[in-house]
Amino acid sequence: MFLEKDRNNSERTGWIEVVCGSMFSGKTEELIRRLNRARIAKQKVEIFKPEIDTRYDETDVVSHDDKTVSSIPVQNASQILFYAEDFEVVGIDEAQFFGDELVSVCNELANDGKRVVVAGLDMDYLGNPFGPIPKLMAVAEYVTKVHAICIRCGNLANYSHRTVKDDKLVVLGETDAYEPLCRYCFNKARREIEDKKD
Ligand code: ZN
């Protein structure tokens, strides 16, 4: 469980939190939980997400348990700087879809005194580090890895295995296109796909 730092310091300093993990690991739920608590603390809160993520709704960050929070879709990371000016806490969802530019944007926001909470996939469907997330994990003060449950064996899952044949990095409509797997089951599933190719 992530426990917030007390904000009642006389000196205003910001910081970066990263919440990352596989599909179905509860990243967005955790982002929303933190931002709701900040809202209860009467802080000015806003969530941004890349325009690419239009799975359910154009303007809402929607997590899988249907707790919705409104958000601003942006075309690139630098637009966040423009919109975030009046907010104390800035949430960024589906952050893996932004470019590396997001790293300097988050640093700038935090240097400006804002609390920045970033949620995103740490790995793509092949198990490779995804977009700006690895660099964000390096510059963040706090990193939380959340886990899904492996649907094949019940262990903790940290891979998002793609169940449909498609080589694009981004496939939307995640519920039927991916399954969360542990390291053992993921390697087994990848081997089976490679064997079929031969
Ligand atoms: Zn497993």
Side-chain angles (χ1 to χ4, degrees), residues 1-4 32-43 115:
M1 170 96 40
F2 181 83
L3 297 175
E4 292 87 346
I32 291 171
R33 188 188 75 85
R34 293 185 191 183
L35 265 58
N36 277 339
R37 289 164 65 85
R39 206 168 267 143
I40 292 166
K42 307 240 183 314
Q43 292 162 5
R115 175 185 174 193

Side-chain angles (χ1 to χ4, degrees), residues 150 152-155 181-182 184-185:
C150 176
R152 299 197 182 178
C153 77
N155 281 332
L181 296 179
C182 71
Y184 176 83
C185 295

Side-chain angles (χ1 to χ4, degrees), residues 77-190:
S78 54
Q79 285 188 341
I80 298 172
L81 287 177
F82 175 75
Y83 288 117
E85 204 172 297
D86 294 333
F87 297 100
E88 294 164 271
V89 183
V90 176
I92 302 168
D93 198 24
E94 302 289 356
Q96 74 278 357
F97 293 138
F98 287 107
D100 272 356
E101 181 198 24
L102 185 64
V103 181
S104 56
V105 166
C106 289
N107 267 330
E108 200 169 320
L109 292 167
N111 294 345
D112 197 33
K114 300 181 196 303
R115 175 185 174 193
V116 184
V117 188
V118 185
L121 287 168
D122 47 5
M123 289 184 281
D124 64 20
Y125 75 103
L126 293 171
N128 297 316
F130 204 155
I133 302 295
K135 286 181 182 159
L136 279 167
M137 289 166 79
V139 300
E141 275 84 349
Y142 308 100
V143 176
T144 306
K145 274 220 182 198
V146 286
H147 298 91
I149 299 297
C150 176
I151 62 155
R152 299 197 182 178
C153 77
N155 281 332
L156 288 180
N158 57 332
Y159 292 95
S160 311
H161 177 242
R162 184 176 289 169
T163 53
V164 294
K165 206 168 167 282
D166 196 326
D167 289 335
K168 283 203 303 269
L169 199 56
V170 177
V171 175
L172 298 176
E174 63 180 313
T175 39
D176 40 9
Y178 297 94
E179 58 184 14
L181 296 179
C182 71
R183 182 181 293 273
Y184 176 83
C185 295
F186 176 77
N187 286 336
K188 202 169 157 220
R190 291 300 312 165

